[in-house]
Amino acid sequence: MAPTGTASTALPAEAQALEKYFVLDKARLNEIVGGFRREFEDGLKNFGRDTAMIPSYCLNVPNGTEVGTFLALDLGGTNLRVCEVKLTGNHDFSVKQQKYKVSEALKHGDAKDLFDYIAESVDAFMTEVGTENGEDEAVHLGFTFSFPVEQTALDKGKLLTWTKGFACKNAIGHDVVKLLQDSLDAKHIKVKCSALVNDTVGTLLSRSYQSGPALIGAIFGTGTNGAYIDKTETIEKLGKEAIAESVKGGPDAGEYMVINTEWGAIDNGRHVLPVSPFDNKLDRESINPRKQAFEKMVSGMYLGEIVRNMLLYLIDFSVLFDGHSSEAMNTHYGLDTALVSEIEAAKSDDQVVNVLTKELGITEEFIKPADVQIVKWACRMVTMRAASLSACALAAVVLHTGHAQSKGGDETVDIGMDGSVAEFLPFFEERMRAALRLILGDEGEKRISMGLAKDGSGVGAALCALQAKKAEDANVHPVSKKMDALVP
Ligand code: BGC
């Protein structure tokens, strides 16, 4: 049973007063979902919105019979991953992979250096691990690039903004496939980047390949975002002509398209989110202030920092640790979200004390039993809110696509998830489900199935590269060149 978040009289008044920012009742959840739906609809109608609702040009989802071997690149979290993915056609796959560290200098330097490094890593992988492709033909590569990119084709798209601690120069507004291909070509590496994929799109494809058609692919990790399947005609900003072109485009074309919502940027204007002073402080001190408002309340990069800000506030009122802090507690991002998970998973208060002394450097004599309860409460507040808000994003998609009500049968709505928060944060799914029950009702929540999609970034990139290869072999262009002209 997940611990719940009701006010406790044992808490100091300074802490109790903070619960209003974190405990969300049914009315508040519905208000948030309403705001999210409005942003989805606005993003589908207009370019240039924060919630970018990006057409992925991925026009169908796999059914598990797909076969082929592709290279996949995955950039967007802590590491760069190069993999060779073999789709074996029976909902199964195998992966050979290597991880390469992306230094802080590369994250903040010139984009050319980053893309040269990526190309070198692909070269190193092909030399050290090898690929199954023949000597002469260029190897097809799917590039999972987990940042907001306004795509104009399966293999084309301009970076809108960096997120998650990346801030390379000369990248925003540039086509990231071209940046990569230029670096590969300059080094004479025989690889063709044929598909650009967001990790959420990859997760949706991978989940569908492995366990049947899914509606949503969601990442709750370092960052957060979701992709879902919508009718192409709802992407009004593309205009009727372009929509018609994309529908009749390639061998996989149809009336549906996967849309990358970029929900991490929902409510940057702060109209509906329960923004606390700790969120404002985190945002002000971040490298991307006023951006990724939702992501900063939900994702692994930030949850520890919100908890740290809350605990410091209570230390400053001398109602925690007798007013004593520590070097780690005083350091920006000094409390990692992994520690929040450890505290939430602790079976005894001694384990919490252990984290506080060993990992956070708090002197043991300043930790009273009541302090342990305050720390556990703060972690619970922040992680419960993250789970409830995550449920709001999922529910907004379910409602937007008209899947909230049963169509008469016992159909389920499937959601594939990936990321460290989804995988390691205790009680995350349970708490999301509790919020989904409040928003969609018991029946609505029961119809939702969710599960981790194994290796969405690698398998999804391979599946997209396969779509691109099929289109190339059939000599069709799945989407019109006119699309380029449409994107500002
Ligand atoms: C990016 C998304 C990505 C998500 C999860 C966000 O910061 O904007 O494109 O899907 O992180 O990795």
Side-chain angles (χ1 to χ4, degrees):
M1 221 352 229
T4 55
T6 46
S8 143
T9 44
L11 281 176
E14 289 81 355
Q16 278 187 45
L18 301 178
E19 293 206 343
K20 64 172 179 286
Y21 299 113
F22 295 94
V23 180
L24 306 172
D25 64 13
K26 185 173 170 167
R28 195 68 183 87
L29 291 170
N30 281 324
E31 188 191 349
I32 294 168
V33 171
F36 285 17
R37 287 184 68 183
R38 282 194 295 279
E39 288 217 9
F40 286 167
E41 279 151 28
D42 192 31
L44 287 168
K45 288 199 184 96
N46 302 288
F47 284 107
R49 296 296 192 256
D50 288 331
T51 306
M53 303 302 276
I54 299 169
S56 70
Y57 298 97
C58 173
L59 302 174
N60 78 346
V61 294
N63 60 16
T65 60
E66 292 73 10
V67 287
T69 303
F70 297 92
L71 271 184
L73 260 180
D74 176 14
L75 180 77
T78 329
N79 293 305
L80 164 72
R81 219 158 46 101
V82 187
C83 349
E84 187 184 65
V85 180
K86 190 171 186 175
L87 305 166
T88 44
N90 45 357
H91 304 278
D92 215 351
F93 61 89
S94 58
V95 180
K96 289 194 269 184
Q97 64 165 12
Q98 292 269 49
K99 286 187 179 164
Y100 302 87
K101 180 111 194 94
V102 183
S103 67
E104 288 303 311
L106 281 174
K107 284 187 191 172
H108 297 120
D110 197 279
K112 183 165 184 316
D113 298 333
L114 176 68
F115 282 91
D116 281 351
Y117 176 74
I118 299 175
E120 278 155 27
S121 305
V122 172
D123 198 26
F125 178 86
M126 289 170 72
T127 314
E128 286 156 26
V129 182
T131 71
E132 286 187 7
N133 285 61
E135 285 278 293
D136 298 328
E137 33 169 340
V139 183
H140 277 263
L141 174 139
F143 184 16
T144 300
F145 183 74
S146 305
F147 300 96
V149 172
E150 189 70 76
Q151 281 189 243
T152 49
L154 197 53
D155 62 350
K156 208 168 196 179
K158 286 183 197 159
L159 179 64
L160 292 171
T161 180
W162 286 113
T163 58
K164 296 177 288 196
F166 278 70
C168 292
K169 290 170 260 311
N170 302 319
I172 293 175
H174 292 260
D175 177 1
V176 288
V177 174
K178 184 164 185 314
L179 288 174
L180 174 63
Q181 196 64 56
D182 286 350
S183 292
L184 289 166
D185 293 348
K187 293 179 193 308
H188 308 290
I189 302 166
K190 274 209 283 183
V191 168
K192 178 175 184 323
C193 179
S194 50
L196 177 66
V197 198
N198 186 266
D199 51 356
T200 54
V201 178
T203 300
L204 175 53
L205 299 187
S206 168
R207 175 80 176 174
S208 302
Y209 177 80
Q210 290 173 62
S211 47
L215 175 70
I216 304 176
I219 301 284
F220 300 107
T222 310
T224 184
N225 187 14
Y228 74 102
I229 301 168
D230 209 341
K231 290 215 172 77
T232 315
E233 66 189 26
T234 67
I235 320 170
E236 284 181 37
K237 62 187 169 186
L238 291 183
K240 287 207 172 61
E241 200 191 335
I243 290 171
E245 284 269 355
S246 80
V247 169
K248 67 175 168 21
D252 285 329
E255 57 184 306
Y256 294 95
M257 195 187 284
V258 178
I259 305 217
N260 165 16
T261 65
E262 286 297 334
W263 73 36
I266 273 191
D267 204 30
N268 281 351
R270 293 165 161 76
H271 303 297
V272 290
L273 286 173
V275 181
S276 72
F278 312 110
D279 301 300
N280 282 331
K281 177 171 182 288
L282 180 148
D283 182 60
R284 194 173 62 242
E285 294 172 351
S286 71
I287 63 165
N288 54 350
R290 308 304 288 191
K291 291 198 171 148
Q292 301 297 102
F294 178 67
E295 175 161 278
K296 285 173 179 161
M297 295 182 167
V298 163
S299 77
M301 179 155 172
Y302 305 104
L303 296 182
E305 181 65 1
I306 307 173
V307 172
R308 187 183 76 88
N309 283 338
M310 274 175 91
L311 297 184
L312 280 180
Y313 170 86
L314 297 171
I315 288 171
D316 286 346
F317 273 99
S318 302
V319 293
L320 182 65
F321 309 140
D322 214 7
H324 292 83
S325 187
S326 69
E327 200 184 322
M329 283 298 295
N330 293 342
T331 305
H332 199 197
Y333 293 102
L335 197 166
D336 198 286
T337 301
L339 298 182
V340 178
S341 288
E342 264 191 61
I343 292 170
E344 287 259 88
K347 297 265 182 297
S348 69
D349 287 357
D350 284 350
Q351 282 180 18
V352 178
V353 172
N354 210 39
V355 173
L356 293 173
T357 53
K358 303 264 168 11
E359 309 281 352
L360 290 171
I362 306 283
T363 308
E364 193 159 354
E365 61 172 293
F366 299 130
I367 308 174
K368 294 188 298 297
D371 292 339
V372 175
Q373 302 317 312
I374 295 176
V375 170
K376 285 183 6 186
W377 164 86
C379 291
R380 197 165 70 237
M381 286 295 111
V382 172
T383 53
M384 278 196 14
R385 187 184 65 168
S388 302
L389 291 176
S390 303
C392 289
L394 296 178
V397 175
V398 172
L399 287 160
H400 166 80
T401 50
H403 284 87
Q405 252 93 48
S406 159
K407 307 236 171 355
D410 55 1
E411 69 278 0
T412 55
V413 176
D414 190 53
I415 301 173
M417 297 190 293
D418 203 357
S420 50
V421 167
E423 197 171 353
F424 302 119
L425 195 65
F427 320 118
F428 184 68
E429 184 178 333
E430 243 175 291
R431 288 168 174 170
M432 270 205 303
R433 283 192 174 278
L436 284 172
R437 268 193 295 280
L438 292 177
I439 305 164
L440 300 174
D442 288 358
E443 287 307 309
E445 179 271 327
K446 264 199 216 104
R447 293 184 29 252
I448 294 182
S449 59
M450 46 176 105
L452 287 174
K454 265 201 312 186
D455 201 1
S457 302
V459 176
L463 286 161
C464 262
L466 174 63
Q467 275 196 30
K469 186 168 184 305
K470 275 199 215 160
E472 187 186 285
D473 291 349
N475 198 20
V476 288
H477 302 286
V479 284
S480 157
K481 296 256 178 289
K482 284 183 205 144
M483 297 277 183
D484 271 348
L486 285 165
V487 176

PDB file of all heavy atoms in Angstrom, residues 146-148 163-164 198-200 219 223-225 262 292 295, ligand 1:
ATOM      1  N   SER A 146      16.165  12.947 -27.916  1.00  0.00           N
ATOM      2  CA  SER A 146      15.039  13.190 -27.012  1.00  0.00           C
ATOM      3  C   SER A 146      14.952  14.635 -26.538  1.00  0.00           C
ATOM      4  O   SER A 146      15.083  14.944 -25.343  1.00  0.00           O
ATOM      5  CB  SER A 146      15.129  12.228 -25.836  1.00  0.00           C
ATOM      6  OG  SER A 146      15.189  10.932 -26.353  1.00  0.00           O
ATOM      7  N   PHE A 147      14.747  15.495 -27.502  1.00  0.00           N
ATOM      8  CA  PHE A 147      14.566  16.933 -27.261  1.00  0.00           C
ATOM      9  C   PHE A 147      13.470  17.403 -28.217  1.00  0.00           C
ATOM     10  O   PHE A 147      13.168  16.711 -29.192  1.00  0.00           O
ATOM     11  CB  PHE A 147      15.882  17.680 -27.537  1.00  0.00           C
ATOM     12  CG  PHE A 147      17.006  17.207 -26.665  1.00  0.00           C
ATOM     13  CD1 PHE A 147      17.905  16.249 -27.115  1.00  0.00           C
ATOM     14  CD2 PHE A 147      17.154  17.692 -25.373  1.00  0.00           C
ATOM     15  CE1 PHE A 147      18.922  15.781 -26.301  1.00  0.00           C
ATOM     16  CE2 PHE A 147      18.166  17.232 -24.549  1.00  0.00           C
ATOM     17  CZ  PHE A 147      19.053  16.283 -25.016  1.00  0.00           C
ATOM     18  N   PRO A 148      12.905  18.595 -27.959  1.00  0.00           N
ATOM     19  CA  PRO A 148      11.831  19.045 -28.860  1.00  0.00           C
ATOM     20  C   PRO A 148      12.378  19.429 -30.237  1.00  0.00           C
ATOM     21  O   PRO A 148      13.192  20.342 -30.342  1.00  0.00           O
ATOM     22  CB  PRO A 148      11.273  20.296 -28.158  1.00  0.00           C
ATOM     23  CG  PRO A 148      11.881  20.313 -26.798  1.00  0.00           C
ATOM     24  CD  PRO A 148      13.138  19.521 -26.856  1.00  0.00           C
ATOM     25  N   THR A 163      16.700  20.923 -23.500  1.00  0.00           N
ATOM     26  CA  THR A 163      16.122  20.678 -22.168  1.00  0.00           C
ATOM     27  C   THR A 163      17.123  19.828 -21.385  1.00  0.00           C
ATOM     28  O   THR A 163      18.205  19.504 -21.903  1.00  0.00           O
ATOM     29  CB  THR A 163      14.780  19.901 -22.278  1.00  0.00           C
ATOM     30  OG1 THR A 163      15.035  18.664 -22.954  1.00  0.00           O
ATOM     31  CG2 THR A 163      13.719  20.680 -23.054  1.00  0.00           C
ATOM     32  N   LYS A 164      16.774  19.474 -20.171  1.00  0.00           N
ATOM     33  CA  LYS A 164      17.508  18.492 -19.342  1.00  0.00           C
ATOM     34  C   LYS A 164      19.005  18.777 -19.193  1.00  0.00           C
ATOM     35  O   LYS A 164      19.827  17.862 -19.209  1.00  0.00           O
ATOM     36  CB  LYS A 164      17.332  17.077 -19.924  1.00  0.00           C
ATOM     37  CG  LYS A 164      15.912  16.574 -19.899  1.00  0.00           C
ATOM     38  CD  LYS A 164      15.763  15.225 -20.536  1.00  0.00           C
ATOM     39  CE  LYS A 164      15.911  15.273 -22.050  1.00  0.00           C
ATOM     40  NZ  LYS A 164      15.423  14.075 -22.722  1.00  0.00           N
ATOM     41  N   ASN A 198      11.712  10.767 -31.467  1.00  0.00           N
ATOM     42  CA  ASN A 198      11.716  11.167 -30.069  1.00  0.00           C
ATOM     43  C   ASN A 198      11.610   9.885 -29.210  1.00  0.00           C
ATOM     44  O   ASN A 198      11.006   8.902 -29.645  1.00  0.00           O
ATOM     45  CB  ASN A 198      10.527  12.105 -29.796  1.00  0.00           C
ATOM     46  CG  ASN A 198      10.571  12.672 -28.395  1.00  0.00           C
ATOM     47  OD1 ASN A 198       9.964  12.137 -27.480  1.00  0.00           O
ATOM     48  ND2 ASN A 198      11.315  13.750 -28.209  1.00  0.00           N
ATOM     49  N   ASP A 199      12.162   9.906 -27.995  1.00  0.00           N
ATOM     50  CA  ASP A 199      12.116   8.672 -27.182  1.00  0.00           C
ATOM     51  C   ASP A 199      10.688   8.225 -26.861  1.00  0.00           C
ATOM     52  O   ASP A 199      10.417   7.031 -26.708  1.00  0.00           O
ATOM     53  CB  ASP A 199      12.962   8.797 -25.893  1.00  0.00           C
ATOM     54  CG  ASP A 199      12.655  10.042 -25.077  1.00  0.00           C
ATOM     55  OD1 ASP A 199      11.845  10.875 -25.510  1.00  0.00           O
ATOM     56  OD2 ASP A 199      13.248  10.185 -23.979  1.00  0.00           O
ATOM     57  N   THR A 200       9.747   9.187 -26.786  1.00  0.00           N
ATOM     58  CA  THR A 200       8.363   8.802 -26.489  1.00  0.00           C
ATOM     59  C   THR A 200       7.743   8.059 -27.671  1.00  0.00           C
ATOM     60  O   THR A 200       7.003   7.099 -27.489  1.00  0.00           O
ATOM     61  CB  THR A 200       7.513  10.050 -26.196  1.00  0.00           C
ATOM     62  OG1 THR A 200       7.640  10.965 -27.288  1.00  0.00           O
ATOM     63  CG2 THR A 200       7.949  10.728 -24.925  1.00  0.00           C
ATOM     64  N   ILE A 219       7.465   8.902 -21.275  1.00  0.00           N
ATOM     65  CA  ILE A 219       8.747   8.834 -20.567  1.00  0.00           C
ATOM     66  C   ILE A 219       8.604   9.587 -19.253  1.00  0.00           C
ATOM     67  O   ILE A 219       8.204  10.758 -19.228  1.00  0.00           O
ATOM     68  CB  ILE A 219       9.893   9.489 -21.384  1.00  0.00           C
ATOM     69  CG1 ILE A 219      10.075   8.814 -22.750  1.00  0.00           C
ATOM     70  CG2 ILE A 219      11.196   9.483 -20.593  1.00  0.00           C
ATOM     71  CD1 ILE A 219      10.765   7.486 -22.748  1.00  0.00           C
ATOM     72  N   GLY A 223      13.788  13.513 -17.960  1.00  0.00           N
ATOM     73  CA  GLY A 223      12.753  14.460 -18.388  1.00  0.00           C
ATOM     74  C   GLY A 223      11.426  13.730 -18.472  1.00  0.00           C
ATOM     75  O   GLY A 223      11.342  12.534 -18.155  1.00  0.00           O
ATOM     76  N   THR A 224      10.391  14.434 -18.905  1.00  0.00           N
ATOM     77  CA  THR A 224       9.123  13.728 -19.137  1.00  0.00           C
ATOM     78  C   THR A 224       8.463  14.223 -20.421  1.00  0.00           C
ATOM     79  O   THR A 224       8.641  15.382 -20.818  1.00  0.00           O
ATOM     80  CB  THR A 224       8.132  13.886 -17.973  1.00  0.00           C
ATOM     81  OG1 THR A 224       6.964  13.087 -18.264  1.00  0.00           O
ATOM     82  CG2 THR A 224       7.671  15.328 -17.756  1.00  0.00           C
ATOM     83  N   ASN A 225       7.723  13.326 -21.048  1.00  0.00           N
ATOM     84  CA  ASN A 225       7.055  13.650 -22.304  1.00  0.00           C
ATOM     85  C   ASN A 225       6.175  12.461 -22.698  1.00  0.00           C
ATOM     86  O   ASN A 225       6.333  11.361 -22.156  1.00  0.00           O
ATOM     87  CB  ASN A 225       8.118  13.904 -23.387  1.00  0.00           C
ATOM     88  CG  ASN A 225       7.546  14.418 -24.695  1.00  0.00           C
ATOM     89  OD1 ASN A 225       6.388  14.836 -24.761  1.00  0.00           O
ATOM     90  ND2 ASN A 225       8.346  14.392 -25.753  1.00  0.00           N
ATOM     91  N   GLU A 262       5.354  16.831 -26.427  1.00  0.00           N
ATOM     92  CA  GLU A 262       6.268  17.708 -25.660  1.00  0.00           C
ATOM     93  C   GLU A 262       5.543  18.288 -24.442  1.00  0.00           C
ATOM     94  O   GLU A 262       5.624  19.472 -24.134  1.00  0.00           O
ATOM     95  CB  GLU A 262       6.862  18.816 -26.549  1.00  0.00           C
ATOM     96  CG  GLU A 262       7.915  18.320 -27.510  1.00  0.00           C
ATOM     97  CD  GLU A 262       9.163  17.732 -26.835  1.00  0.00           C
ATOM     98  OE1 GLU A 262       9.490  18.105 -25.686  1.00  0.00           O
ATOM     99  OE2 GLU A 262       9.810  16.867 -27.463  1.00  0.00           O
ATOM    100  N   GLN A 292       9.806  24.352 -19.581  1.00  0.00           N
ATOM    101  CA  GLN A 292       9.598  22.993 -19.056  1.00  0.00           C
ATOM    102  C   GLN A 292       8.957  23.000 -17.667  1.00  0.00           C
ATOM    103  O   GLN A 292       9.398  22.286 -16.754  1.00  0.00           O
ATOM    104  CB  GLN A 292      10.943  22.218 -19.034  1.00  0.00           C
ATOM    105  CG  GLN A 292      11.620  22.079 -20.389  1.00  0.00           C
ATOM    106  CD  GLN A 292      10.802  21.289 -21.400  1.00  0.00           C
ATOM    107  OE1 GLN A 292      10.179  21.897 -22.270  1.00  0.00           O
ATOM    108  NE2 GLN A 292      10.779  19.979 -21.302  1.00  0.00           N
ATOM    109  N   GLU A 295       7.642  19.527 -16.616  1.00  0.00           N
ATOM    110  CA  GLU A 295       8.778  18.613 -16.434  1.00  0.00           C
ATOM    111  C   GLU A 295       9.487  18.862 -15.100  1.00  0.00           C
ATOM    112  O   GLU A 295       9.921  17.929 -14.424  1.00  0.00           O
ATOM    113  CB  GLU A 295       9.762  18.828 -17.595  1.00  0.00           C
ATOM    114  CG  GLU A 295      11.051  18.038 -17.498  1.00  0.00           C
ATOM    115  CD  GLU A 295      11.739  17.937 -18.854  1.00  0.00           C
ATOM    116  OE1 GLU A 295      11.342  17.066 -19.631  1.00  0.00           O
ATOM    117  OE2 GLU A 295      12.638  18.732 -19.156  1.00  0.00           O
TER     118      GLU A 295
HETATM  119  C1  BGC B   1      12.307  16.508 -23.990  1.00  0.00           C
HETATM  120  C2  BGC B   1      11.479  15.469 -24.729  1.00  0.00           C
HETATM  121  C3  BGC B   1      11.811  14.087 -24.237  1.00  0.00           C
HETATM  122  C4  BGC B   1      11.678  14.009 -22.721  1.00  0.00           C
HETATM  123  C5  BGC B   1      12.015  12.633 -22.158  1.00  0.00           C
HETATM  124  C6  BGC B   1      12.175  16.298 -22.478  1.00  0.00           C
HETATM  125  O1  BGC B   1      13.033  17.168 -21.803  1.00  0.00           O
HETATM  126  O2  BGC B   1      11.875  17.806 -24.320  1.00  0.00           O
HETATM  127  O3  BGC B   1      11.705  15.576 -26.124  1.00  0.00           O
HETATM  128  O4  BGC B   1      10.961  13.162 -24.842  1.00  0.00           O
HETATM  129  O5  BGC B   1      12.532  14.972 -22.131  1.00  0.00           O
HETATM  130  O6  BGC B   1      13.312  12.244 -22.453  1.00  0.00           O
END
